[in-house]
Structure formats: structure tokens, C-alpha cells
């Protein structure tokens, strides 16, 4: 096993994605594919691999390889990450890597070697209520399969999964099971799948006083309960957000649970995306505001705009959590959506066009340093890319 990274290697440059928004043809395609089973992995949404966001694979970057068969520098993703210096690229070969991973080094690039995120899966099966060594339980944060705390980390053409299944653990009542927890700033995910059930993607920050910006382009996120949650500033651009069917005719969960700190300008933005499901019509909520006991001043924010919405959404889009904080007190809104689930009701407040002009990916991500990773996504194909 090699102990020093290989230098002066470069990944081939990847062409940029074609620009476009969800037009009539995409909406028609979405309706056609709305019933695709989540148990069958679709093969139509992998073309984005050749259109990934440009990342820091410059001429001086180190390249470290990972392969399950021992042909790479390492066979473990965590070992490769631990060995990688800031600015390195970790190229991960096809296979399933069953290990928890923590990425604390800044400026790393994690890239799937095949360009198809279905080929490279990093997975673990912890849940909040499972016992951990030394006593106690893992808790929501501790359940994460992957933790990304380093700044300027980029990932593309990968799958991150928490494989915990409720039905296999009827003794567990706290079933939060995070696939990825993020606290780093200026993170980019391109053509990445996030698979789980409850609390799949924890888009967070180190603390309430620190803003962590995250850009998700051409990604796929699936789950059922609060499966995109946290206090981060996160933009989902050209993504598919898929609600799993929990087997209920009336309540199949909630997509978002933002917990935006009061001094933070922006929360979650979903734009030019697809919201799909096999769940029955009008059985899924857009989300609910999360006001944690540790931050009772939180002012949750989420905006869904210019996106296609399936029939699974309720007329009452938003609802309070068990803590009882009225969702109407927070900025939970929509703008210019389309599709059978794009409804305008008293419980589905719409943002005005004048205000929406200031709610763009660039505005959400700029911060004080003018960061702008935004590129036009490909049109999302509204069909399952899940398990």
C-alpha cells in the first residue's frame, strides 16, 4: 500500500452542461415517468457525468486512487481521504464501500471513476437510536454515513447512502439515519445521489453563527421524513427530489425541514428541479419548520421555484412540527412552479415576482467573498435514480 500521493496527474476536462429550464417537453416527460418504481435504478439520468462542474483538478493537484480490488493506492475511502493533502483529488473506483467516512481536509475533490454515480456507492447503516460502542446511542448527527466538515470540498459522480431500514429494526424508535452531514463552506456536489429515508441529507453548518454554503447541481435526493434538513444555505439546481412511499394513503412524510438561524440571509433554494414520487396523490407535505431546542430563535426558510411538482403534494403544503411552531411565522414559499402538484392555496404561499428576482442561486451563494460556482444544469429527467 502506497503511503505518499502521486503528483502531477490531471483529470480530463469535462464539457459544461447545456443550459435550459423545465419546458413543456420536460414536463411531459416527467408525467410519463412519474410512476417509475424506486426499487429499480433508472439508467436515463447518468449523462450528467460528462457535464460535471469544473473542480480543482489543476496541474499540481495530487491524484489518489481507491479500488475495492486492491488495484488502487487504497481500498478504503477513509484511508485515501486521510492520506490526501489539501487540493488533492481522490478518484474512487466502481464498487460498494461499506464504511463511515469523515472528510475534514479542505479543498479535496471526491470523484467517481466511471462517471456514473450508480457505480460508486459509499454507504453505512447507522441510525440515531442504535447503540454505539461505549454506551448511549448515535443520535441524528452521529448516524451520518459521511461527514464533510472541510471547506471547498467538491464531489461528483458518486452515491452517498445510509442503508438503515426501519422494518429490519422494529426495536428502534429513533429512526433518523443521515447519508451525508455537511458543515463545510463552499461545498459543491455534481451528479451525486443521496439515498436514505428519514433525514437523508443534513445540510448544516458548524454553529448558528457560521454560514455554510452548499451547491447541489444535477443531484438526486430521496427520502421520506424531513429528508433535506438543517441550517445551511443550500441551493438545489436541476435536481430530482424524490419522496418515497411509506405505505400511507394520507401521510407519506415531509420533504424539507430547514432551521435557518435568524441572522442568516438565506436558507434552502430549490430551482429548475423535479419533485417526484410513487406515493398516492396529496399525501406528502413540502416541509415543516425545524426550530431546535438548541436554537429557539431559528427562522426557517425554504423556497421552491421554477420546478416541476408531482401530484403527491398536499394542498396544505406546510405543517408544524411536534414542537408546535406555526409554519406561517417563517419564510416557506413557492414561485412559478408547474406540474400537477403545483398548487396555489392559502397554505401554499407564493413569493412575488419582485422578491423572487433577488432569490437566485448566485445571490444565495455569494456571501462576503463573492463565491459563484453556479452553472446551468441539464434538464432533470423526472424518473427515479434511487435504489
Amino acid at each position: 500500500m502506497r503511503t505518499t500521493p502521486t503528483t502531477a496527474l490531471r483529470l480530463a476536462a469535462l464539457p459544461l452542461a447545456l443550459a435550459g429550464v423545465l419546458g413543456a417537453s420536460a414536463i411531459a416527460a416527467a408525467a410519463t415517468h412519474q410512476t417509475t418504481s424506486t426499487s429499480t435504478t433508472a439508467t436515463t439520468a447518468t449523462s450528467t457525468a460528462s457535464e460535471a462542474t469544473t473542480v480543482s483538478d489543476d496541474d499540481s493537484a495530487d491524484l489518489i486512487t481507491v479500488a475495492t480490488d486492491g488495484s488502487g493506492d487504497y481500498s478504503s475511502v477513509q484511508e485515501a481521504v486521510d492520506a490526501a493533502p489539501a487540493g488533492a483529488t481522490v478518484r474512487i473506483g466502481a464498487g460498494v464501500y461499506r464504511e463511515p467516512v469523515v472528510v475534514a481536509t479542505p479543498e479535496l475533490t471526491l470523484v467517481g471513476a466511471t462517471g456514473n454515480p450508480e457505480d460508486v456507492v459509499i454507504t453505512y447503516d447507522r441510525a440515531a437510536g442504535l447503540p454505539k460502542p461505549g454506551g448511549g446511542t448515535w443520535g441524528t448527527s452521529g448516524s451520518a454515513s459521511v461527514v464533510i466538515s472541510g471547506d471547498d470540498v467538491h464531489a461528483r459522480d458518486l452515491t452517498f447512502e445510509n442503508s438503515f431500514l426501519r422494518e429490519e429494526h422494529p426495536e428502534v424508535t429513533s429512526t433518523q439515519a443521515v447519508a451525508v452531514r455537511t458543515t463545510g463552506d463552499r461545498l459543491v456536489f455534481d451528479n451525486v445521489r443521496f439515498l436514505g429515508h428519514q433525514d437523508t441529507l443534513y445540510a448544516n453548518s458548524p454553529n448558528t453563527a457560521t454560514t455554510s454554503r452548499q451547491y447541489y447541481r444535477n443531484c438526486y435526493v430521496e427520502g421520506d421524513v424531513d429528508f433535506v434538513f438543517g441550517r445551511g444555505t443550500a441551493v438545489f439546481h436541476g435536481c430530482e427530489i424524490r419522496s418515497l412511499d411509506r405505505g400511507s394513503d394520507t401521510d407519506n412524510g415531509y420533504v424539507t425541514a430547514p432551521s435557518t438561524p435568524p441572522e442568516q440571509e438565506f436558507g434552502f433554494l430549490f430551482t429548475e428541479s423535479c419533485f417526484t414520487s410513487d406515493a398516492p396523490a396529496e399525501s406528502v407535505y413540502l416541509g415543516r419548520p425545524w426550530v431546535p431546542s438548541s436554537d429557539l430563535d431559528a427562522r426557517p426558510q425554504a423556497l421552491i421555484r421554477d420546478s416541476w411538482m408531482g401530484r403527491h403534494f398536499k394542498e396544505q403544503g406546510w405543517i408544524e412540527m411536534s414542537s408546535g411552531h406555526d409554519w406561517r411565522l417563517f419564510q416557506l414559499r413557492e414561485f412559478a412552479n408547474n406540474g400537477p402538484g403545483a398548487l396555489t392555496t392559502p397554505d401554499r404561499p407564493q413569493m412575488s415576482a419582485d422578491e423572487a428576482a433577488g432569490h437566485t442561486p448566485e445571490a444565495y451563494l455569494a456571501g462576503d467573498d463573492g463565491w459563484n460556482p453556479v452553472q446551468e444544469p441539464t434538464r432533470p429527467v423526472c424518473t427515479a435514480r434511487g435504489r
Side-chain angles (χ1 to χ4, degrees), residues 16-21 51 215 217-218 237 272 374-378:
L16 299 179
L18 295 176
V21 297
E51 301 159 346
Y215 181 54
R217 174 180 173 267
N218 296 328
H237 197 187
E272 299 179 49
V374 177
Q375 294 184 20
E376 281 297 325
T378 57

Side-chain angles (χ1 to χ4, degrees), residues 281-296:
E282 299 185 24
S283 67
V284 175
Y285 292 93
L286 298 176
R288 49 189 186 171
W290 180 29
V291 180
S293 58
S294 59
D295 183 18
L296 295 177

